[in-house]
Amino acid sequence: MEAAEFTDDIRDGMQEIANVAVGQSAEKVAENCSAFIHMPIPRVHLIESADIMMALTTFEESARVTAVTQAFIGAGVSGEAMLLFSDGSLGELAALMGHGGQVLSDAHQRELVLEIASLLIATCVQGISQQLSLDVMIKHPALYGQHTLLGEMLRAQRFPWKRTLAVELNYRFEGFDLSCDLVVLFHERCLAVLFDKIGLLLD
């Protein structure tokens, strides 16, 4: 199956799978941070690597962000997830994680972003892979950019694919002026396997 065979059924199926994974993420955050997440509506795009901004609908290219990436691989499927916070929301992230009222250094902010990224990304990717009966290994999160213009950060990155299936999730935390974007990117070389697995689940 070629990437060009991306259909409305595949899109809808992936959206439903992501919906379940979001619910699992919300439960994990509630357990760890005592905060309720407003359930995002997943957005599913098949895009060219040059059009990655299309998968980040809540950010402008001129936004300053702190971003984390986390790769995953296994069972014929590979990709990476990217979690982005606007710089203006980092104080609220600190409050969410029990550090409200403190002036945090850049190093401490990085620690908090990596911690919440590990929680949100791992839960979401595991939720997707388990529904598709995929055994996926998730690597450690890595800082992608800090206090960086989003457009500049993305233009400096050479993605290892021409096309990708992108699943965007925008999380909002009740009681905090805080939201973040999680986008899961599936590498082009695994799309045939991914689409086949989604098709089997739909049958």
Side-chain angles (χ1 to χ4, degrees):
M1 182 182 293
E2 299 294 331
E5 294 179 44
F6 181 63
T7 64
D8 289 342
D9 284 344
I10 294 295
R11 184 194 305 276
D12 293 345
M14 191 65 195
Q15 188 175 59
E16 201 52 46
I17 289 165
N19 235 348
V20 174
V22 166
Q24 295 168 344
S25 292
E27 290 177 8
K28 278 291 184 183
V29 170
E31 290 172 10
N32 287 269
C33 303
S34 300
F36 177 76
I37 289 182
H38 289 277
M39 300 287 283
I41 298 172
R43 297 179 180 89
V44 181
H45 320 261
L46 184 67
I47 57 174
E48 304 288 327
S49 60
D51 296 328
I52 187 66
M53 279 299 303
M54 286 178 58
L56 298 169
T57 58
T58 59
F59 285 97
E60 300 290 338
E61 286 193 54
S62 59
R64 287 198 175 272
V65 300
T66 294
V68 170
T69 61
Q70 195 163 0
F72 56 90
I73 188 168
V77 172
S78 62
E80 56 192 289
M82 182 185 300
L83 185 70
L84 301 102
F85 289 91
S86 69
D87 276 7
S89 68
L90 293 178
E92 288 290 291
L93 175 62
L96 172 72
M97 302 183 73
H99 300 275
Q102 300 180 33
V103 178
L104 302 181
S105 66
D106 283 354
H108 199 171
Q109 287 180 356
R110 286 196 298 272
E111 290 176 11
L112 294 181
V113 171
L114 288 167
E115 185 178 342
I116 193 71
S118 186
L119 177 65
L120 285 175
I121 292 173
T123 306
C124 186
V125 172
Q126 286 170 355
I128 291 172
S129 61
Q130 286 170 0
Q131 291 175 77
L132 295 173
S133 300
L134 295 168
D135 186 14
V136 171
M137 179 184 72
I138 304 172
K139 299 183 179 180
H140 293 296
L143 189 72
Y144 186 69
Q146 187 173 21
H147 313 318
T148 305
L149 289 173
L150 178 59
E152 290 182 3
M153 184 176 69
L154 294 177
R155 282 191 290 272
Q157 172 69 23
R158 292 187 177 275
F159 293 102
W161 31 259
K162 183 179 178 183
R163 305 175 90 191
T164 182
L165 184 72
V167 181
E168 184 204 8
L169 304 162
N170 176 255
Y171 292 93
R172 291 188 298 113
F173 300 83
E174 188 173 274
F176 299 87
D177 186 16
L178 175 65
S179 65
C180 63
D181 252 23
L182 171 61
V183 58
V184 183
L185 305 168
F186 291 90
H187 292 161
E188 181 176 25
R189 61 181 175 270
C190 77
L191 292 184
V193 172
L194 181 66
F195 291 173
D196 186 52
K197 286 283 189 179
I198 296 170
L200 289 173
L201 196 63
L202 293 174
D203 290 341

